[in-house]
Amino acid sequence: MRMLLLLMLLTTSLLATAQQAKVVRLNAWYDAEGAAEIYDRIPIGLQFIFSDSSEQKTAGLLDGRYKWNRLDVSSSNGTISNGILTFNRQQLIRDHYRITFTVKGDNAPDLHAVITLPQLTGIRFNHYADSIKKDIRFYLNVEGKFSSGKILPLDTATIRFAASSGNILGQDLLIDKTDTVKTVTIEAWYKTNPEMYLRSVMPIKQLPDPDLPPLPGNTPGRRKSGRH
């Protein structure tokens, strides 16, 4: 009986200690594989560190037990819905790629955590051919170099194009077959930072492609022999 009472006292003491543990730090994470470099919607996770060195994590990205709908969490940029952050990229640039999360607690000071998303460090052309054929759309391939070390393609959502000849159709350049120019100057700007600028001079193919010889067995006018 005495041993049972001792065990009960110890258990009560441990529970009281656990209940007194308070959150002392908040850490925030984002999905590094979610292509935050080009997409404005990424999974995030929060980690709560307690005064007794224990921790709890949010559901979703971090596979934790904390449900997002039970947290009062806000963001300095964009909105959070069930662990998915949707942010504004122009604001992200103004804020030097930093986003602050705030979790409000019951009768406790607010908790803050910051993530820094990858930033664009440069852009470059990566042309698929060394010349442009008339009357065939030429894709203007621009790649971005990011602080994360990734190199990813950019599109017209972030890049503005111009050309000295032909027509820009979305992200394609089309040179009319009657055009007599021999070269075309292609320009590209990063919309949110026009100082990131590209210029490329491409030759226009003047001669038609040579006729290719027929494949063996497909000579015009000959019929394959066979037994019936």
Side-chain angles (χ1 to χ4, degrees):
M1 186 66 179
R2 186 176 298 175
M3 181 61 69
L4 179 59
L5 289 173
L6 180 59
L7 288 174
M8 291 177 63
L9 287 172
L10 287 173
T11 302
T12 303
S13 177
L14 288 172
L15 288 173
T17 301
Q19 290 174 353
Q20 292 172 1
K22 297 180 180 180
V23 180
V24 295
R25 190 169 75 253
L26 177 68
N27 297 323
W29 311 86
Y30 72 92
D31 185 4
E33 302 301 321
E37 293 86 354
I38 56 176
Y39 296 130
D40 299 340
R41 189 172 182 270
I42 56 169
I44 61 169
L46 299 177
Q47 178 191 39
F48 298 85
I49 307 298
F50 291 84
S51 55
D52 61 357
S53 298
S54 63
E55 65 177 47
Q56 290 288 350
K57 299 176 182 179
T58 50
L61 176 65
L62 301 182
D63 295 325
R65 297 168 57 185
Y66 272 9
K67 302 296 184 183
W68 283 94
N69 58 9
R70 301 185 65 181
L71 292 173
D72 186 356
V73 56
S74 59
S75 168
S76 63
N77 182 347
T79 59
I80 302 170
S81 177
N82 199 29
I84 302 296
L85 171 68
T86 302
F87 61 91
N88 180 286
R89 189 162 294 275
Q90 290 188 349
Q91 181 184 342
L92 183 71
I93 295 171
R94 291 195 300 269
D95 294 341
H96 305 288
Y97 293 85
R98 291 164 60 89
I99 298 178
T100 301
F101 302 107
T102 300
V103 175
K104 293 186 176 297
D106 297 331
N107 301 318
D110 293 348
L111 296 167
H112 305 281
V114 177
I115 59 173
T116 302
L117 296 182
Q119 61 179 300
L120 185 70
T121 59
I123 57 177
R124 69 185 187 187
F125 278 122
N126 186 6
H127 296 311
Y128 292 125
D130 55 8
S131 63
I132 298 176
K133 296 180 181 179
K134 297 180 182 179
D135 208 31
I136 296 178
R137 288 191 176 202
F138 182 80
Y139 183 70
L140 303 174
N141 186 36
V142 174
E143 296 176 334
K145 296 179 286 185
F146 294 88
S147 58
S148 60
K150 294 181 181 179
I151 298 176
L152 298 170
L154 303 176
D155 58 21
T156 53
T158 54
I159 299 294
R160 178 169 63 90
F161 294 97
S164 59
S165 297
N167 295 310
I168 300 290
L169 304 173
Q171 200 161 341
D172 296 336
L173 172 62
L174 181 63
I175 304 295
D176 190 86
K177 61 183 177 182
T178 61
D179 204 322
T180 59
V181 296
K182 295 185 178 181
T183 63
V184 58
T185 300
I186 305 167
E187 297 174 289
W189 295 263
Y190 186 54
K191 289 182 178 179
T192 53
N193 182 7
E195 292 183 1
M196 287 192 179
Y197 167 77
L198 297 175
R199 183 177 182 272
S200 177
V201 178
M202 293 287 290
I204 306 298
K205 190 161 187 169
Q206 302 298 312
L207 299 176
D209 290 332
D211 293 333
L212 298 176
L215 296 175
N218 290 335
T219 304
R222 291 187 59 186
R223 180 180 298 176
K224 292 182 179 180
S225 59
R227 296 182 180 180
H228 299 282

